[in-house]
């Protein structure tokens, strides 16, 4: 599938627009980063999170990365679907089985967003913000979504496996987006990087703290990247919709909001919308 141009008496050149996500390409990029984690690659699958969960239940190894070029049943947060067309994005999940107590499980979600942001910045050279809980934004459009799931041990009573699923919109056109995300989703854009490099860097950043014990600078970086701080938002708490101003992010990753009626609310999960960009 690579596009190669030939010039008589000169030779062949790999077209710089060739950006094929492949097992061989991913392995090269992973190994060059010193990451020896097992890799499962699909040119098409239902959902890398579903596949990672299956692999976990079959005894798959800690650190296994599952990457797809297309998902037919990509899953988003809050029961939504995640648009996952072929050739333009990265859909990956990393299976973590830390094998002991996870002291601050909520930090996994926080770190997943920081890890993806660091990787995008390093490989693509663009600076991205985090919209709590863990959507990544570039130029006020969502370019990356993260769905973290876990399996619990009935015997141990704790977390057995963690699946961090990350979907990144690399290239594409606004016109091709489904109606429900048109105007909201965006793309990193072409050039200067390959999806193999970006996927490998995201995996490397996740594996770096695969034991799920995170240094203090993670929450600090999350705060610095937060695009909600100081903004007016609509949010839901206890089933009621309120409006307020975001004061910041707590040490445990909660969103702190001062409601218009003067209360201070700490949100653990859910969805917040900016009243005006
Ligand atoms: C969201 O924005 O609501 C979260 C989207 C998470 C999408 C990724 S793509 C890879 C992994 N597999 C899935 O089915 N979902 C996650």
């Amino acid at each position: 599938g690579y596009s190669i141009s030939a010039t008589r008496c000169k030779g062949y050149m790999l077209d710089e627009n060739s950006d094929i996500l492949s097992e061989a390409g991913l392995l090269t990029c992973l190994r060059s980063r010193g990451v020896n984690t097992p890799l499962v690659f699909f040119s098409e699958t239902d959902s890398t999170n579903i596949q990672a969960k299956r692999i976990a239940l079959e005894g798959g190894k800690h650190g296994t990365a599952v990457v797809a070029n297309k998902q037919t049943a990509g899953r988003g947060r809050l029961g939504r679907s995640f648009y996952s067309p072929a050739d333009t994005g990265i859909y990956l999940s990393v299976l973590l089985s830390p094998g002991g107590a996870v002291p601050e499980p909520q930090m996994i979600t926080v770190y997943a967003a920081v890890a993806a942001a660091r990787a995008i910045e390093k490989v693509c050279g663009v600076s991205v913000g985090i919209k709590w809980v863990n959507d990544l934004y570039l130029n006020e459009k969502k370019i990356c979504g993260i769905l973290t799931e876990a399996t619990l041990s009935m015997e141990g009573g704790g977390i057995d496996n963690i699946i961090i699923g990350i979907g990144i919109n690399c290239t594409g056109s606004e016109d091709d987006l489904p109606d429900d995300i048109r105007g909201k989703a965006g793309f990193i854009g072409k050039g200067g990087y390959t999806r193999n490099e970006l996927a490998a860097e995201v995996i490397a950043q996740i594996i770096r703290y695969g034991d799920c014990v995170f240094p203090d600078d993670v929450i600090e970086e999350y705060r610095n990247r937060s695009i909600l701080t100081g903004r007016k938002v609509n949010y839901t708490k206890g089933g009621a919709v309120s409006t307020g101003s975001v004061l910041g992010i707590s040490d445990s990753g909660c969103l702190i909001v001062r409601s218009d009626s003067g209360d201070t609310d700490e949100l653990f999960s859910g969805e917040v919308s900016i009243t005006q960009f």
Side-chain angles (χ1 to χ4, degrees):
Y2 287 86
S3 146
I4 295 167
S5 34
T7 308
R8 191 185 281 270
C9 300
K10 278 194 170 169
Y12 299 93
M13 193 174 73
L14 186 62
D15 192 325
E16 66 176 349
N17 290 323
S18 275
D19 182 19
I20 313 281
L21 198 58
S22 70
E23 181 167 8
L26 283 164
L27 282 173
T28 305
C29 294
L30 283 169
R31 303 307 178 238
S32 72
R33 286 165 171 77
V35 178
N36 283 310
T37 219
L39 172 72
V40 178
F41 176 77
F42 295 97
S43 49
E44 178 178 323
T45 190
D46 47 1
S47 149
T48 56
N49 267 31
I50 293 176
Q51 293 302 327
K53 231 178 283 173
R54 177 188 56 76
I55 291 167
L57 295 175
E58 288 169 1
K61 266 201 178 158
H62 169 74
T64 299
V66 183
V67 183
N69 182 50
K70 175 183 176 181
Q71 294 184 127
T72 52
R75 300 171 54 222
R77 290 180 61 242
L78 309 171
R80 298 187 186 126
S81 60
F82 187 77
Y83 178 61
S84 314
D87 304 330
T88 56
I90 295 169
Y91 318 107
L92 71 82
S93 303
V94 181
L95 164 64
L96 300 178
S97 315
V102 178
E104 299 175 291
Q106 77 287 354
M107 284 302 290
I108 298 169
T109 299
V110 166
Y111 180 64
V114 168
R118 284 180 181 172
I120 293 171
E121 213 152 279
K122 189 166 167 190
V123 173
C124 311
V126 293
S127 166
V128 290
I130 299 172
K131 176 175 172 280
W132 185 89
V133 182
N134 51 11
D135 290 339
L136 299 192
Y137 272 64
L138 175 66
N139 301 326
E140 301 186 346
K141 297 271 168 68
K142 175 171 166 176
I143 51 127
C144 170
I146 300 174
L147 174 66
T148 307
E149 300 183 280
T151 65
L152 300 177
S153 150
M154 294 303 276
E155 282 145 37
I159 293 176
D160 233 4
N161 299 295
I162 296 150
I163 288 133
I164 301 177
I166 301 182
I168 305 176
N169 306 335
C170 293
T171 56
S173 146
E174 172 105 24
D175 299 342
D176 296 335
L177 294 172
D179 290 348
D180 58 329
I181 56 170
R182 192 170 308 134
K184 296 180 189 157
F187 310 93
I188 295 176
K190 260 195 189 158
Y193 72 96
T194 65
R195 286 182 298 147
N196 287 325
E197 285 170 326
L198 179 54
E201 186 60 36
V202 172
I203 295 166
Q205 293 285 349
I206 297 283
I207 300 284
R208 187 168 167 207
Y209 297 114
D211 58 357
C212 298
V213 178
F214 306 101
D216 290 344
D217 66 347
V218 167
I219 192 70
E220 220 31 64
E221 182 170 340
Y222 186 96
R223 283 195 182 106
N224 292 337
R225 290 184 185 273
S226 167
I227 61 167
L228 289 187
T229 304
R231 307 292 281 268
K232 195 102 177 154
V233 293
N234 293 323
Y235 63 99
T236 312
K237 187 161 186 195
V241 181
S242 307
T243 305
S245 299
V246 174
L247 300 180
I249 309 285
S250 74
D251 286 347
S252 55
C254 295
L255 191 74
I256 309 168
V257 187
R258 167 71 47 82
S259 75
D260 286 351
S261 53
D263 299 325
T264 302
D265 286 326
E266 269 202 29
L267 312 182
F268 295 91
S269 65
E271 174 110 306
V272 163
S273 60
I274 300 171
T275 55
Q276 215 175 34
F277 254 119

